Amino acid sequence: MTEHFTLDELTHTDHRTLDNTPNKAELANIQRLAEFLEQVKTLLGGKPIMINSAFRSKAVNDAVGSKDTSQHRIGCAADIRVPGMTPDEVVRAVIASDLGYDQIIREFDRWTHISIPNEEVRAPRKQALIIDKQGTRIFA
């Protein structure tokens, strides 16, 4: 897809018995996501970005207990880890940048969820949140 992000890693699932093949529209979103992740990688000084989860078919999304409205469902979100950086550091770097992120979420202080707008023509919402055992709140 791009220099540093492959379709295999953006569609990888541990639920190997479930089909996780994107359709044409989802594939176009995954391409936009890969291009955006290249910008994130540049922003973070070229550090490796490890993909925990990106695109999820309905079956995979259901299996992990996520909502149908998750941006992972349409190929617009990735959960990432950046070796040598905490999720807080990743969130703060993205917030301070001019990147067109839709959401950035520190999840359970273990990884960072980052997404692009669901449609290319939509403006990014630039929402920054925290999700943990205490619930969901604005990242501050």
Side-chain angles (χ1 to χ4, degrees):
M1 303 213 84
T2 63
E3 182 179 355
H4 299 103
F5 301 98
T6 67
L7 180 60
D8 283 347
E9 73 182 319
L10 294 170
T11 58
H12 173 79
T13 178
D14 290 337
H15 298 276
R16 291 180 182 90
T17 59
L18 301 175
D19 182 24
N20 202 42
T21 306
N23 65 31
K24 187 176 178 180
E26 293 160 346
L27 192 57
N29 286 338
I30 296 168
Q31 180 66 47
R32 287 191 307 118
L33 179 64
E35 291 167 6
F36 177 74
L37 289 171
E38 289 288 351
Q39 294 176 39
V40 174
K41 183 175 179 66
T42 298
L43 171 73
L44 301 178
K47 288 183 172 59
I49 294 178
M50 313 301 290
I51 308 293
N52 292 348
S53 176
F55 172 74
R56 296 183 198 140
S57 66
K58 176 159 177 43
V60 171
N61 201 58
D62 289 349
V64 301
S66 190
K67 297 177 182 176
D68 281 340
T69 56
S70 168
Q71 289 179 290
H72 289 277
R73 274 287 297 113
I74 58 172
C76 289
D79 294 337
I80 63 172
R81 289 176 296 107
V82 180
M85 293 184 77
T86 67
D88 267 0
E89 290 170 329
V90 173
V91 170
R92 290 184 196 289
V94 171
I95 290 171
S97 76
D98 62 353
L99 294 182
Y101 67 94
D102 197 55
Q103 286 186 319
I104 189 150
I105 307 171
R106 185 190 80 200
E107 292 195 37
F108 301 97
D109 216 13
R110 294 179 50 218
W111 66 85
T112 305
H113 168 101
I114 191 163
S115 68
I116 57 175
N118 291 357
E119 297 171 358
E120 197 167 6
V121 296
R122 283 193 185 173
R125 294 179 290 172
K126 293 200 170 191
Q127 291 182 334
L129 303 169
I130 295 170
I131 295 176
D132 58 21
K133 291 178 182 177
Q134 299 171 8
T136 302
R137 60 195 179 279
I138 301 294
F139 184 93

